[in-house]
PDB file of all heavy atoms in Angstrom:
ATOM      1  N   THR A 111      10.537  18.385 -26.509  1.00 98.00           N
ATOM      2  CA  THR A 111       9.253  18.710 -25.926  1.00 98.00           C
ATOM      3  C   THR A 111       8.194  17.788 -26.495  1.00 98.00           C
ATOM      4  O   THR A 111       8.409  17.122 -27.512  1.00 98.00           O
ATOM      5  CB  THR A 111       8.795  20.172 -26.224  1.00 98.00           C
ATOM      6  OG1 THR A 111       8.462  20.238 -27.595  1.00 98.00           O
ATOM      7  CG2 THR A 111       9.946  21.174 -25.950  1.00 98.00           C
ATOM      8  N   LEU A 112       7.056  17.775 -25.880  1.00 98.00           N
ATOM      9  CA  LEU A 112       5.991  16.874 -26.295  1.00 98.00           C
ATOM     10  C   LEU A 112       5.567  17.157 -27.738  1.00 98.00           C
ATOM     11  O   LEU A 112       5.307  16.246 -28.518  1.00 98.00           O
ATOM     12  CB  LEU A 112       4.797  16.946 -25.345  1.00 98.00           C
ATOM     13  CG  LEU A 112       3.560  16.111 -25.704  1.00 98.00           C
ATOM     14  CD1 LEU A 112       3.936  14.667 -25.998  1.00 98.00           C
ATOM     15  CD2 LEU A 112       2.563  16.196 -24.587  1.00 98.00           C
ATOM     16  N   SER A 113       5.471  18.452 -28.074  1.00 98.00           N
ATOM     17  CA  SER A 113       5.104  18.800 -29.456  1.00 98.00           C
ATOM     18  C   SER A 113       6.001  18.137 -30.471  1.00 98.00           C
ATOM     19  O   SER A 113       5.579  17.595 -31.508  1.00 98.00           O
ATOM     20  CB  SER A 113       5.082  20.285 -29.626  1.00 98.00           C
ATOM     21  OG  SER A 113       4.214  20.908 -28.664  1.00 98.00           O
ATOM     22  N   PHE A 140      -5.507  18.168 -27.662  1.00 97.00           N
ATOM     23  CA  PHE A 140      -4.772  19.379 -27.291  1.00 97.00           C
ATOM     24  C   PHE A 140      -4.320  20.061 -28.593  1.00 97.00           C
ATOM     25  O   PHE A 140      -3.755  19.406 -29.472  1.00 97.00           O
ATOM     26  CB  PHE A 140      -3.571  19.046 -26.455  1.00 97.00           C
ATOM     27  CG  PHE A 140      -2.883  20.212 -25.824  1.00 97.00           C
ATOM     28  CD1 PHE A 140      -3.385  20.760 -24.661  1.00 97.00           C
ATOM     29  CD2 PHE A 140      -1.695  20.760 -26.347  1.00 97.00           C
ATOM     30  CE1 PHE A 140      -2.729  21.849 -24.057  1.00 97.00           C
ATOM     31  CE2 PHE A 140      -1.071  21.830 -25.761  1.00 97.00           C
ATOM     32  CZ  PHE A 140      -1.566  22.376 -24.612  1.00 97.00           C
ATOM     33  N   ASP A 143      -1.047  19.231 -30.569  1.00 98.00           N
ATOM     34  CA  ASP A 143      -0.951  17.934 -31.302  1.00 98.00           C
ATOM     35  C   ASP A 143      -1.508  18.063 -32.711  1.00 98.00           C
ATOM     36  O   ASP A 143      -0.955  17.597 -33.666  1.00 98.00           O
ATOM     37  CB  ASP A 143      -1.702  16.867 -30.492  1.00 98.00           C
ATOM     38  CG  ASP A 143      -1.081  16.539 -29.167  1.00 98.00           C
ATOM     39  OD1 ASP A 143      -0.550  17.460 -28.554  1.00 98.00           O
ATOM     40  OD2 ASP A 143      -1.086  15.339 -28.760  1.00 98.00           O
ATOM     41  N   ASP A 211      -1.291  10.000 -27.064  1.00 98.00           N
ATOM     42  CA  ASP A 211      -0.672  10.970 -26.228  1.00 98.00           C
ATOM     43  C   ASP A 211      -1.065  10.790 -24.772  1.00 98.00           C
ATOM     44  O   ASP A 211      -2.272  10.771 -24.466  1.00 98.00           O
ATOM     45  CB  ASP A 211      -1.066  12.389 -26.716  1.00 98.00           C
ATOM     46  CG  ASP A 211      -0.242  13.503 -26.065  1.00 98.00           C
ATOM     47  OD1 ASP A 211       0.107  13.328 -24.875  1.00 98.00           O
ATOM     48  OD2 ASP A 211       0.035  14.489 -26.744  1.00 98.00           O
ATOM     49  N   ALA A 213      -0.178  12.654 -22.131  1.00 98.00           N
ATOM     50  CA  ALA A 213       0.166  13.848 -21.334  1.00 98.00           C
ATOM     51  C   ALA A 213      -0.636  13.860 -20.007  1.00 98.00           C
ATOM     52  O   ALA A 213      -0.081  14.248 -18.973  1.00 98.00           O
ATOM     53  CB  ALA A 213      -0.129  15.102 -22.128  1.00 98.00           C
ATOM     54  N   HIS A 214      -1.891  13.508 -20.057  1.00 98.00           N
ATOM     55  CA  HIS A 214      -2.743  13.579 -18.858  1.00 98.00           C
ATOM     56  C   HIS A 214      -3.047  12.153 -18.307  1.00 98.00           C
ATOM     57  O   HIS A 214      -3.971  11.983 -17.506  1.00 98.00           O
ATOM     58  CB  HIS A 214      -4.038  14.350 -19.158  1.00 98.00           C
ATOM     59  CG  HIS A 214      -3.754  15.758 -19.545  1.00 98.00           C
ATOM     60  ND1 HIS A 214      -3.596  16.721 -18.608  1.00 98.00           N
ATOM     61  CD2 HIS A 214      -3.543  16.310 -20.744  1.00 98.00           C
ATOM     62  CE1 HIS A 214      -3.300  17.878 -19.274  1.00 98.00           C
ATOM     63  NE2 HIS A 214      -3.287  17.636 -20.540  1.00 98.00           N
ATOM     64  N   TYR A 236       6.338  17.039 -17.020  1.00 98.00           N
ATOM     65  CA  TYR A 236       6.210  18.159 -16.078  1.00 98.00           C
ATOM     66  C   TYR A 236       4.810  18.275 -15.489  1.00 98.00           C
ATOM     67  O   TYR A 236       4.588  19.072 -14.637  1.00 98.00           O
ATOM     68  CB  TYR A 236       6.587  19.485 -16.732  1.00 98.00           C
ATOM     69  CG  TYR A 236       5.896  19.761 -18.036  1.00 98.00           C
ATOM     70  CD1 TYR A 236       4.590  20.276 -18.034  1.00 98.00           C
ATOM     71  CD2 TYR A 236       6.505  19.547 -19.256  1.00 98.00           C
ATOM     72  CE1 TYR A 236       3.931  20.529 -19.246  1.00 98.00           C
ATOM     73  CE2 TYR A 236       5.885  19.803 -20.476  1.00 98.00           C
ATOM     74  CZ  TYR A 236       4.577  20.287 -20.461  1.00 98.00           C
ATOM     75  OH  TYR A 236       3.958  20.572 -21.642  1.00 98.00           O
ATOM     76  N   LYS A 237       3.861  17.418 -15.963  1.00 98.00           N
ATOM     77  CA  LYS A 237       2.518  17.444 -15.378  1.00 98.00           C
ATOM     78  C   LYS A 237       2.495  16.469 -14.179  1.00 98.00           C
ATOM     79  O   LYS A 237       3.125  16.735 -13.186  1.00 98.00           O
ATOM     80  CB  LYS A 237       1.507  17.105 -16.446  1.00 98.00           C
ATOM     81  CG  LYS A 237       1.443  18.194 -17.551  1.00 98.00           C
ATOM     82  CD  LYS A 237       0.561  17.894 -18.708  1.00 98.00           C
ATOM     83  CE  LYS A 237       0.589  19.082 -19.704  1.00 98.00           C
ATOM     84  NZ  LYS A 237       0.168  18.687 -21.068  1.00 98.00           N
TER      85      LYS A 237
HETATM   86  C1  LIG B  21       0.565  19.601 -22.189  1.00 61.40           C
HETATM   87  C2  LIG B  21       0.323  19.081 -23.518  1.00 61.40           C
HETATM   88  C3  LIG B  21       1.154  19.415 -24.598  1.00 61.40           C
HETATM   89  C4  LIG B  21       2.266  20.443 -24.443  1.00 61.40           C
HETATM   90  O1  LIG B  21       3.310  20.211 -25.318  1.00 61.40           O
HETATM   91  P1  LIG B  21       4.748  20.847 -25.079  1.00 61.40           P
HETATM   92  O2  LIG B  21       5.482  20.673 -26.320  1.00 61.40           O
HETATM   93  O3  LIG B  21       5.361  20.108 -23.904  1.00 61.40           O
HETATM   94  O4  LIG B  21       4.560  22.259 -24.626  1.00 61.40           O
HETATM   95  C5  LIG B  21       0.928  18.808 -25.794  1.00 61.40           C
HETATM   96  N1  LIG B  21      -0.069  17.896 -25.974  1.00 61.40           N
HETATM   97  C6  LIG B  21      -0.892  17.536 -24.952  1.00 61.40           C
HETATM   98  C7  LIG B  21      -2.000  16.571 -25.145  1.00 61.40           C
HETATM   99  C8  LIG B  21      -0.723  18.160 -23.696  1.00 61.40           C
HETATM  100  O5  LIG B  21      -1.558  17.845 -22.690  1.00 61.40           O
END
Side-chain angles (χ1 to χ4, degrees):
T111 72
L112 177 51
S113 303
F140 191 80
D143 295 34
D211 191 325
H214 297 276
Y236 52 81
K237 292 173 180 162

